[in-house]
């Protein structure tokens, strides 16, 4: 069985405690590797390594930093098959999704920030006859990056790349549920010749390693992606220490389907937006609101299409939905389906896990849930208010625009929204009024790495992406010179 190790001060090292956690393949339910059960001692070692590396790395010429990040991107790309297989095995997502989205986007993240650092300029403000202000944007020092299990390498690199590009040294923690591609990344960094201590990856539990990173006095900024409750704890710990915080949290995203949409295309895209990665993408639309005049037509076409989705072995080329990430998460998803029934919801399709008989031998102990569509629930019930983060969506009719906005904005979250309409004026109007950080019109998940990424309300604080991340990972210092 393979043993994953921490990456500290340029080397792969075992945890100080020498304790390991079992890492399970969700498609089979089998333990297949061991993940370090690190603690505050490992975080301290990582911090010391990062601190020693900071002076050298922050003064490294931009072109050299750019080249190093490019080497890392190339290194991932060279091992593409290995990364794709590992991400699928660790998370349960279809192999073809890891190949089409996760790993290529991780490569793009490194390349994007490698080139961004060469174009990142700071401001100057002239005061005629008085003098000039110029703003330095300096690296913060040692920063912490903590990421979740749903898009493991993709979200990990989305933080690490801008942090490194701007000259910081990093103590990073991937999710203990999906540690494998972060381990492969350590190997790529060693092969690329990344100076020791610049990036340190400490594996382990959130309550131990994550908490120790957040509590560490020397770690000056935390970039976190994960659940809202964890975000709250992190904010409560970090705020009195005056740390810079970027929090990308949960969602309960609305999809608004207006009667004037292109119905066939909308049905097709909304199915994808609902069930990609088993519904375990923070941007998946889990509450679908449909204008009354087309409600039945949309519902029937939608359910018919969902029924064609194949759930099963992530390795199969025709699999649309793979395994749920863990047994615990599968049980959480199923408990929400039960709750929906108790709240009076009607299950239109799915509604259970996949029976063992429907799975091949390899996967018969895996964690699979059928894509589930529910109707008949009030928009304020728990099923429609709480994040499920699985292959479960609700369908709810609405009368008019105002009605749709009331329902869409009724949750505590505000990450993303999708609007389906051919009325341009309506699209602009609704986009402006919807409470979300990201709005797609007649599309979903189109990403331009230059745009601000993040949510409002309980979906987070701050933005990632483009200059936003570069600004987060730097400290502005204004300097005035008298003329
Ligand atoms: P989680 O909050 O349980 O864990 C996220 C990370 O935080 C993990 O690495 C975990 O070990 C760590 N952690 C846990 N407790 C900690 C603590 N006390 N201090 C520091 N770190 C701690 O989330 P998850 O279950 O891994 O991921 C699913 C959640 O992430 C969902 O709510 C989803 O919406 C959200 N998410 C949000 C975005 C976004 O961009 N807004 C993207 C992906 C996922």
């Amino acid at each position: 069985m393979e043993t994953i190790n921490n990456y500290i001060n340029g080397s792969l090292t075992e945890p100080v405690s020498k304790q390991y956690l079992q890492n399970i393949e969700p498609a089979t339910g089998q333990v297949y590797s061991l993940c370090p059960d690190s603690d505050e001692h490992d975080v301290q070692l990582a911090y010391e390594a990062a601190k020693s590396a900071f002076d050298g790395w922050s003064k490294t010429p931009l072109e050299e930093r750019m080249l190093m990040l490019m080497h890392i991107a190339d290194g991932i790309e060279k091992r593409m098959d290995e990364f794709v297989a590992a991400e699928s095995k660790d998370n349960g997502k279809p192999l073809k999704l890891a190949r089409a989205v996760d790993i290529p986007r991780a490569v793009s993240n490194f390349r994007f920030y490698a080139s961004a650092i060469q174009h990142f300029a700071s401001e100057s403000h002239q005061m005629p006859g008085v003098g000039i202000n110029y703003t330095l944007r300096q690296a913060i020092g040692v920063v912490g990056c903590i990421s979740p299990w749903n898009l493991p390498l993709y979200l990990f690199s989305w933080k690490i790349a801008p942090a490194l590009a701007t000259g910081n040294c990093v103590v990073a923690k991937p999710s203990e549920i999906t540690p494998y591609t972060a381990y492969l990344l350590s190997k790529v960094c060693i092969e690329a010749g990344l100076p020791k201590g610049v990036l340190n990856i400490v594996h382990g539990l959130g309550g131990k390693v994550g908490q120790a990173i957040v509590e560490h006095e020397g770690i000056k900024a935390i970039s976190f992606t994960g659940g809202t409750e964890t975000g709250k704890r992190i904010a409560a710990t970090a705020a009195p220490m005056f740390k810079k915080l970027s929090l990308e949290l949960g969602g309960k995203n609305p999809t608004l389907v207006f009667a004037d949409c292109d119905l066939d295309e909308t049905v097709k895209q909304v199915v994808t937006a609902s069930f990609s990665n088993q519904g375990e993408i923070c941007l998946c639309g889990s509450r679908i609101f449909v204008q009354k005049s087309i409600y039945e037509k949309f519902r029937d076409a939608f359910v018919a299409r969902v029924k064609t989705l194949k759930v099963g072995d992530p390795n199969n080329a025709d699999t649309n939905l793979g395994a749920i990430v863990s047994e615990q998460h599968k049980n959480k998803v199923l408990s929400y389906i039960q709750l929906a029934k108790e709240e009076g919801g009607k299950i239109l399709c799915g509604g259970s896990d996949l029976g063992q008989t429907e799975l091949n031998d390899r996967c018969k102990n895996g964690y699979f849930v059928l894509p589930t569509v529910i109707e008949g629930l009030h928009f304020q019930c728990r099923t429609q208010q709480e994040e499920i983060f699985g292959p479960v969506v609700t369908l709810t009719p609405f009368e008019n625009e105002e009605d749709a906005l009331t329902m869409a904005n009724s949750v505590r979250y505000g990450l993303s929204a999708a609007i389906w309409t051919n009325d341009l004026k309506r699209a602009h109007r609704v986009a402006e009024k919807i409470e979300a950080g990201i709005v797609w019109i007649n599309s979903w998940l189109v990403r331009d790495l230059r745009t601000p990424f993040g949510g409002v309300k309980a979906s987070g604080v701050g933005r990632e992406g483009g200059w936003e991340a570069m600004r987060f990972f730097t400290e502005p210092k204004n300097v005035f010179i008298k003329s």
Side-chain angles (χ1 to χ4, degrees):
M1 185 171 315
E2 180 122 26
T3 301
I4 292 170
N5 270 313
N6 290 330
Y7 171 52
I8 296 178
N9 205 22
S11 307
L12 296 172
T13 53
E14 54 182 15
V16 173
S17 67
K18 303 207 189 315
Q19 297 299 307
Y20 287 84
L21 304 162
Q22 293 188 329
N23 188 26
I24 294 171
E25 178 181 7
T28 63
Q30 303 301 309
V31 176
Y32 82 99
S33 61
L34 296 173
C35 168
D37 183 8
S38 313
D39 56 30
E40 72 273 18
H41 302 294
D42 304 276
V43 170
Q44 181 59 23
L45 291 175
Y47 168 74
E48 284 163 15
K51 192 167 187 309
S52 314
F54 178 65
D55 193 44
W57 181 247
S58 58
K59 289 184 184 145
T60 300
L62 295 185
E63 194 172 345
E64 271 180 48
R65 259 194 251 154
M66 179 273 285
L67 284 172
M68 182 50 69
L69 293 187
M70 289 289 189
H71 284 325
I72 294 173
D74 294 346
I76 299 172
E77 206 166 51
K78 258 190 232 146
R79 290 169 171 247
M80 181 60 77
D81 289 346
E82 197 183 349
F83 270 96
V84 165
E87 203 69 299
S88 168
K89 189 168 188 164
D90 228 11
N91 171 275
K93 65 180 70 212
L95 202 62
K96 66 179 180 207
L97 185 69
R99 187 176 298 284
V101 178
D102 292 76
I103 309 305
R105 286 203 182 185
V107 171
S108 301
N109 289 343
F110 278 107
R111 293 205 174 124
F112 177 83
Y113 283 107
S115 61
I117 191 60
Q118 295 215 303
H119 304 275
F120 186 47
S122 61
E123 312 85 43
S124 77
H125 301 91
Q126 194 191 0
M127 301 170 77
V130 181
I132 188 163
N133 295 277
Y134 64 87
T135 309
L136 295 174
R137 288 210 164 256
Q138 295 171 307
I140 296 172
V142 180
V143 299
C145 298
I146 303 174
S147 60
W149 49 255
N150 63 324
L151 301 164
L153 189 69
Y154 175 14
L155 295 179
F156 199 53
S157 55
W158 185 229
K159 299 180 180 307
I160 289 171
L164 295 179
T166 44
N168 299 284
C169 291
V170 177
V171 178
K173 188 195 108 54
S175 170
E176 62 276 25
I177 301 169
T178 52
Y180 206 94
T181 46
Y183 172 56
L184 288 180
L185 176 66
S186 320
K187 294 185 177 178
V188 165
C189 291
I190 293 169
E191 286 161 9
L194 183 69
K196 61 181 191 176
V198 169
L199 170 63
N200 303 275
I201 300 176
V202 186
H203 293 272
L205 299 171
K208 278 169 143 182
V209 177
Q211 190 72 25
I213 293 174
V214 177
E215 282 175 1
H216 200 291
E217 291 215 338
I219 299 178
K220 299 293 184 198
I222 304 289
S223 174
F224 169 79
T225 300
T228 294
E229 289 312 307
T230 315
K232 233 191 233 180
R233 284 192 61 175
I234 291 176
T237 308
M241 300 171 83
F242 307 109
K243 291 194 183 194
K244 235 178 158 181
L245 271 185
S246 166
L247 301 173
E248 300 294 336
L249 310 176
K252 187 77 177 174
N253 308 311
T255 300
L256 305 187
V257 179
F258 287 92
D260 58 19
C261 72
D262 176 344
L263 193 67
D264 291 345
E265 180 63 12
T266 304
V267 167
K268 195 170 137 202
Q269 299 293 339
V270 175
V271 169
T272 306
S274 304
F275 299 111
S276 289
N277 205 43
Q278 303 72 246
E280 297 166 338
I281 299 181
C282 53
L283 305 165
C284 279
S286 52
R287 296 177 299 143
I288 304 168
F289 300 106
V290 186
Q291 199 152 20
K292 242 179 200 158
S293 56
I294 59 158
Y295 181 78
E296 274 89 16
K297 213 168 156 191
F298 177 90
R299 177 196 61 198
D300 295 348
F302 183 76
V303 171
R305 195 172 174 93
V306 173
K307 285 182 175 167
T308 67
L309 296 176
K310 285 214 163 128
V311 185
D313 193 334
N315 291 344
N316 292 347
D318 63 350
T319 292
N320 300 107
L321 282 82
I324 298 294
V325 74
S326 67
E327 188 170 22
Q328 191 191 11
H329 193 55
K330 182 186 105 166
N331 290 337
K332 176 186 163 185
V333 172
L334 293 176
S335 77
Y336 270 101
I337 296 174
Q338 180 56 32
L339 174 69
K341 289 181 195 161
E342 288 161 17
E343 289 184 318
K346 181 176 171 199
I347 312 289
L348 299 174
C349 63
S352 66
D353 52 2
L354 193 57
Q356 284 195 349
T357 49
E358 290 157 88
L359 289 158
N360 63 20
D361 253 13
R362 193 182 94 81
C363 295
K364 65 179 188 310
N365 294 318
Y367 317 131
F368 296 87
V369 175
L370 289 166
T372 299
V373 183
I374 306 167
E375 72 169 356
L377 288 170
H378 191 272
F379 71 93
Q380 279 171 323
C381 72
R382 280 185 57 205
T383 311
Q384 289 234 51
Q385 293 284 313
E386 297 176 14
E387 185 184 43
I388 301 174
F389 212 52
V392 180
V393 297
T394 52
L395 287 180
T396 312
F398 67 83
E399 205 72 60
N400 53 34
E401 218 172 284
E402 203 184 324
D403 210 15
L405 276 163
T406 302
M407 293 185 187
N409 290 341
S410 69
V411 292
R412 69 176 182 139
Y413 298 106
L415 186 54
S416 71
I419 303 165
W420 296 87
T421 176
N422 275 321
D423 180 339
L424 189 60
K425 283 187 181 163
R426 185 206 302 282
H428 283 303
R429 242 183 352 249
V430 176
E432 211 177 300
K433 289 184 187 157
I434 212 150
E435 293 166 1
I438 302 158
V439 181
W440 284 289
I441 293 163
N442 297 326
S443 66
W444 178 72
L445 208 66
V446 176
R447 287 282 297 122
D448 178 330
L449 300 188
R450 294 169 299 180
T451 60
F453 179 93
V456 298
K457 296 158 68 178
S459 289
V461 177
R463 293 291 182 274
E464 298 189 298
W467 295 149
E468 302 282 344
M470 308 287 277
R471 291 198 186 105
F472 175 77
F473 284 116
T474 52
E475 200 63 81
K477 181 192 285 172
N478 195 68
V479 182
F480 172 77
I481 313 175
K482 195 172 181 306
S483 55

